[in-house]
Amino acid sequence: MQVAGQLYILSAPSGCGKTTILRQVMVNIPGLAFSVSHTTRQPRDGEENGVAYHFVTKEAFTEMRDENRFIEWAEVHGNYYGTSRQAVADQLQNGQDVFLDIDVQGAAIISEDSSFDPVSIFVAPPSLAELERRLRGRGTDSDETIALRLQNAAKEMAAASQYQFLVINDGLDDAVLVMQSIIIARRSRTNRLPDGTAIILETDK
Ligand code: 5GP
């Protein structure tokens, strides 16, 4: 039985482990796809074009935006980010469940668009103190950057109640399990059956 895929929105303050959780969930559960966003930010070391992002110029981004080729787009930390309408539609039509890793502005835009019926998930740290400890532990950011990220995190956490599900990352294994449970429960809903489908179970002869 082939049914259209489900759209998932995933948001989190940076440093919450969202990418690590999603990567593990995608290994464990078949039929999940990641939507590769377009961005005008510069690639970081080791980031390959077309994998985490499609890296484009501001001109190319603006053109796509003006042609209405993004489901949503937003400016985050001074750069533009957008979700391709065509790519997501293709993945959903293939029956894949599609994950959008987007910020709270993009999530609000998609949640208001009734054509998607998305499942929205917010990943949060157990506390801001713990998030600060993790950001400092990475040793990659200056005090200034950490202060800015913590400030942003506090703002983003205020939007958590607008999401349907909250995953508190107090340990990777538990967080992965909670995320998987959300997906499995969603896949088990009867309203995923195409209209008019009769369920015929094989009988023992
Ligand atoms: P980063 O540049 O650190 O990868 O991502 C910065 C922020 O941009 C993250 O919160 C991420 O979720 C968000 N983001 C990535 N892609 C998109 C997108 O297509 N749309 C929106 N609205 N946000 C995005």
Side-chain angles (χ1 to χ4, degrees):
M1 183 182 66
Q2 167 88 21
V3 290
Q6 169 68 51
L7 192 66
Y8 287 86
I9 296 173
L10 192 59
S11 302
S14 75
C16 285
K18 169 186 59 176
T19 315
T20 314
I21 298 169
L22 183 57
R23 230 181 255 147
Q24 189 57 48
V25 168
M26 290 183 80
V27 168
N28 295 349
I29 296 195
L32 297 182
F34 178 70
S35 160
V36 180
S37 293
H38 287 69
T39 183
T40 60
R41 89 151 157 73
Q42 292 299 308
R44 297 187 185 120
D45 275 354
E47 274 184 336
E48 214 180 302
N49 192 27
V51 180
Y53 287 105
H54 299 291
F55 296 100
V56 294
T57 61
K58 217 166 184 170
E59 291 70 36
F61 189 97
T62 312
E63 199 176 312
M64 282 186 76
R65 184 195 62 193
D66 294 347
E67 288 169 357
N68 195 26
R69 286 164 61 193
F70 293 126
I71 302 170
E72 62 75 37
W73 68 275
E75 186 175 345
V76 187
H77 311 310
N79 295 301
Y80 292 144
Y81 295 81
T83 304
S84 158
R85 190 178 297 283
Q86 186 66 51
V88 168
D90 288 348
Q91 288 169 316
L92 290 173
Q93 256 156 36
N94 280 339
Q96 288 173 299
D97 288 342
V98 180
F99 268 86
L100 308 182
D101 171 346
I102 59 177
D103 83 318
V104 294
Q105 305 169 73
I109 293 169
I110 294 193
S111 298
E112 279 162 20
D113 186 336
S114 60
S115 52
F116 291 110
D117 189 25
V119 171
S120 56
I121 306 172
F122 193 90
V123 179
S127 66
L128 282 176
E130 173 59 18
L131 180 62
E132 179 170 2
R133 203 187 60 75
R134 286 182 200 173
L135 289 172
R136 290 198 187 285
R138 294 206 296 209
T140 49
D141 300 314
S142 63
D143 282 355
E144 230 181 332
T145 308
I146 290 176
L148 190 66
R149 284 182 187 231
L150 286 172
Q151 230 178 49
N152 285 339
K155 270 192 231 150
E156 285 160 347
M157 305 250 293
S161 62
Q162 287 156 34
Y163 289 68
Q164 294 163 338
F165 293 96
L166 177 65
V167 176
I168 295 179
N169 187 5
D170 204 1
L172 180 62
D173 290 349
D174 282 352
V176 166
L177 202 62
V178 174
M179 189 94 88
Q180 291 180 177
S181 307
I182 296 167
I183 297 165
I184 292 165
R186 184 74 191 191
R187 283 187 177 177
S188 307
R189 283 164 45 133
T190 50
N191 69 0
R192 276 205 95 183
L193 298 171
D195 284 350
T197 304
I199 306 173
I200 300 164
L201 299 177
E202 283 187 27
T203 49
D204 294 332
K205 297 214 172 95

